[in-house]
Amino acid sequence: MAGIACARTLVQAGHRVTVFEKADEVGGRTATVDSPFGAFDSGAQYFTVRDPRFARAIDTVPGVCKRWSANSVRVLDATGRVAAAGLARGEAHWVASPGMQSLVATWAAPLSRSGDLVVQTRVARIEPDAVNAGGWQLRTAGADGAQRVYAGFDAVLLAMPSVPAQALLASSGLESRLADALATVAIAPCWTLMLAYPQAVRPGLTTLGPQWNAARSTHHRIAWLARESSKPGRHLVERWTVQASPAWSAEHLEDDEARVQAKLLKAFAEVTGIRAEPSYVETRRWRYAQTTHPLGRSHLWDAGAGIGACGDWCIGHRVEDAFVSGLELALAVA
């Protein structure tokens, strides 16, 4: 979100931009995971719209974002009982359709069509341009191991979590003043569990377990649960996304995936009362999921060096924070 928001703003200002994406498609933590029973929002579950600039940007892609009736988001105690209402009823919950990734993908489409989006490519090193003094070149590694050098850049902007950004600057031997600022940021990990119950789709039974669609939980293993099939534009097969608590995820970050899956399945049953065997189970580990100590400003930009950084971690951990960070870095550069 931060990278594409930044890139599209720079393009609108008349700049030539190339986006390098390590994965095979854009999306970051708005990633959508496909399954035989429907998609899962494996990272960001929804977003709110508070900044008018974000609202105007969403208006440029009508029909992509839809309001999600999440039953006000419940707050559960450790045994799964509703303890309190969650988010204020007046604040809308929004999702992109057919998956959270769709918003970023739609905004990135013009970059892809123009050949300025390079996927399955990891930037391994930032170097001074061998031909143009004061410029930059990027040494990259492709998914197949192929190495390339892209040159001719006036600026390099890092739209990635603070830890990888800091590591890239260090491995590039750059003594940028950004490094000290990046070191102040803390981001917690998250294990995510995705479950599908196609047996729930039969006459007289449309859902399993609780009647709410989303909840925050105080269970020591689980922080968030959402019924994916309740989101607008989604497949009707009963599906749940379960996100582990930051503390539990950190404690079990390097655990075997099967062990993590079993523990989260047990906790899910305890919270929801759903003890049926899911037909589909998938887990995903996010090493950098939720900001616990933000930078405290919207972006980093070293104009003298031509190096900047952006991400939700600059401000907080919301989808909108990522958008604002990318937008304001672009405005500073432009």
Side-chain angles (χ1 to χ4, degrees), residues 8-9 28 80 88 185 188 228 234 251 284 299 301 324:
R8 70 193 292 269
T9 304
V185 177
E228 290 285 353
R234 303 301 205 271
E251 182 182 352
R284 177 164 189 169
H299 63 279
W301 172 233
V324 170

Side-chain angles (χ1 to χ4, degrees), residues 1 5 20 32 40 47 55 88 103 121 124 131 146 152 161 180 188 221 232 234 292 311:
M1 173 62 75
F20 295 90
T32 301
F40 295 85
F47 60 87
L103 178 57
T121 300
V131 176
D180 290 341
R221 290 179 189 165
R234 303 301 205 271
T292 55

